[in-house]
Amino acid sequence: MAGLVAAVRARELGAEPLVLEKGDRAGGSMLLSSGVIWRHRTLEDFRAECPGGDPALQRMIVEGLDEALDWLQSLGAPVIEPETGNPRTSGVRFDTRELTKALVSRARNVSLGHVPASDTEPRPEGPIVLATGGFHVRLAREWGLPVRGNAWSEGDGLDLALARGGETAGDLYEFYGRAMPAGIPIDEAEFVPLSQLYGRFAEVVSEDGGQRFEGEPQWSEIDLVQTIGRWPGGRAWYRVHEDDLGQRVRERTVADMIELARAAGAVVREEPPFTSVLVQASVTQTLGGILIDTRARVVGAERLYAAGADVGGIATGGYSSGLAAALVFGRIAAEEALS
Ligand SMILES: Cc1cc2nc3c(=O)[nH]c(=O)nc-3n(C[C@H](O)[C@H](O)[C@H](O)COP(=O)(O)OP(=O)(O)OC[C@H]3O[C@@H](n4cnc5c(N)ncnc54)[C@H](O)[C@@H]3O)c2cc1C
């Protein structure tokens, strides 16, 4: 997302950007996402929820997102819901397929299947905006967890920034992810529908029964997923009492989510009055990454900019919209690179 946004903005400003995309399609994790681009309602809310994040970067998102969303719509990307459906947040939902199409057609020069060069090989002239989507693939592999995001983000942007004198920000082991049914193959089209979002209504114990999640998870359940990710196999049982099967999480009930998981082949145990589902923490995005300033400049490196999940230290300690960070800092990176 961030790379396409930067390219579209750069073209608007009169430049001729080239987008080098590693994957065999454009759109990255954005294409697979729910497409809800959102912000906390106030900076104070953002601070309270992500207390370890950089307040200056958080402010840029809170203050810049609404205008950036208008800009995105002006490109012809259709909004399919005018609100997030979450009273804590403000934003809109896009059709990600149409959004990708709109961005690619305006970015124009998008080269797919790009193989990352080593830092010593010649690169195209001019400033570089790093937007490789963080390093969730690498983190998932190291932790033995499934990937729930694009298949290409290995941390090439972070490596390049560090090789050029950049620094890291945030906790490099912190990630955003979801509990997904364990032990079954999950196609990327199922990443959203098969997410098991009812940890707050469940008793959560590790697969071997040795550990238990105490207390109430955050609304995004990011803390719960990170905890499960550190348990053996990254697995847990979500044990739900029948009285809670009717609880709603956004538009679905707990029972809806369990039935979808069961139909996909998930391990579901019935021990009335409880239903238990075996889940596994899956990694969508890393939250630590490159240190930038509020103009998306990589601190410590010359003519290098970063945006999106390559940037660290925005959501540290909590959860914020990765799409919003990609949109806001993708635009700023292009503007700054051309100033
Ligand atoms: C199932 C799912 C649901 C989600 N729902 C939401 C949501 O509703 N709201 C929200 O805010 N966020 C959501 N997210 C997260 C959101 O998709 C990401 O935060 C966002 O896409 C990050 O933008 P990005 O540009 O940094 O990364 P991406 O969109 O992933 O783009 C990075 C691109 O870089 C490419 N790349 C990697 N390495 C290289 C390299 N060396 N050279 C060239 N290209 C490279 C990748 O192939 C990819 O195309 C969701 C994610 C998933 C997977």
Side-chain angles (χ1 to χ4, degrees):
M1 164 103 180
L4 291 173
V5 165
V8 173
R9 185 74 186 120
R11 208 165 270 285
E12 277 182 352
L13 296 171
E16 298 210 347
L18 167 63
V19 178
L20 297 174
E21 166 56 57
K22 188 178 181 181
D24 57 13
R25 58 150 181 87
S29 291
M30 180 267 276
L31 184 68
L32 312 176
S33 78
S34 308
V36 184
I37 310 186
W38 59 271
R39 62 173 173 81
H40 295 88
R41 290 200 174 270
T42 64
L43 180 60
E44 290 67 39
D45 293 347
F46 205 156
R47 298 289 315 129
E49 211 161 294
C50 305
D54 180 337
L57 300 183
Q58 293 174 343
R59 178 185 291 279
M60 298 302 286
I61 293 173
V62 171
E63 294 181 356
L65 185 66
D66 296 357
E67 191 209 325
L69 286 173
D70 289 344
W71 174 81
L72 207 53
Q73 285 189 66
S74 77
L75 304 178
V79 164
I80 50 175
E81 278 170 38
E83 288 177 3
T84 64
N86 179 346
R88 294 178 186 84
T89 64
S90 157
V92 296
R93 181 175 196 155
F94 285 89
D95 176 325
T96 58
R97 204 164 284 276
E98 292 302 319
L99 178 54
T100 303
K101 263 198 229 160
L103 288 170
V104 168
S105 75
R106 286 177 184 255
R108 295 227 286 274
N109 203 354
V110 180
S111 166
L112 300 178
H114 167 72
V115 179
S118 80
D119 198 45
T120 52
E121 288 175 50
R123 285 175 189 276
E125 289 292 306
I128 295 175
V129 176
L130 300 173
T132 70
F135 55 99
H136 57 261
V137 177
R138 192 197 290 175
L139 185 101
R141 190 170 49 244
E142 282 172 9
W143 289 31
L145 300 176
V147 168
R148 181 184 173 271
N150 83 63
W152 301 287
S153 294
E154 289 271 1
D156 301 319
L158 175 61
D159 290 348
L160 194 145
L162 295 178
R164 298 268 181 107
E167 297 168 35
T168 63
D171 175 351
L172 296 183
Y173 294 103
E174 197 177 1
F175 70 92
Y176 161 61
R178 290 290 190 205
M180 304 295 285
I184 57 169
I186 298 179
D187 184 81
E188 58 184 29
E190 305 298 316
F191 284 165
V192 172
L194 282 180
S195 299
Q196 304 294 293
L197 302 174
Y198 48 87
R200 81 204 69 168
F201 301 118
E203 206 185 311
V204 181
V205 292
S206 57
E207 185 179 18
D208 62 7
Q211 292 173 83
R212 169 181 303 271
F213 187 84
E214 304 291 351
E216 176 88 359
Q218 294 172 16
W219 65 267
S220 64
E221 303 197 354
I222 190 170
D223 50 342
L224 175 59
V225 174
Q226 288 184 29
T227 301
I228 296 171
R230 290 172 168 86
W231 288 352
R235 291 181 174 208
W237 288 102
Y238 275 12
R239 187 166 185 256
V240 184
H241 192 276
E242 62 185 12
D243 292 348
D244 284 320
L245 291 174
Q247 298 273 11
R248 297 195 84 79
V249 180
R250 297 186 212 140
E251 70 280 11
R252 297 190 292 170
T253 63
V254 174
D256 292 338
M257 287 183 266
I258 293 177
E259 286 320 310
L260 214 56
R262 195 198 306 267
V267 183
V268 182
R269 270 199 213 144
E270 298 294 348
E271 298 154 320
F274 293 98
T275 302
S276 300
V277 181
L278 187 63
V279 300
Q280 186 171 29
S282 305
V283 185
T284 294
Q285 187 184 310
T286 40
L287 301 187
I290 302 166
L291 177 67
I292 61 163
D293 64 15
T294 56
R295 300 305 304 163
R297 292 179 289 221
V298 174
V299 174
E302 286 293 310
R303 299 198 81 200
L304 199 56
Y305 307 84
D310 274 355
V311 173
I314 293 177
T316 309
Y319 177 53
S320 69
S321 166
L323 293 173
L327 172 60
V328 168
F329 287 108
R331 267 168 41 110
I332 292 175
E335 289 162 7
E336 190 62 28
L338 296 170
S339 67

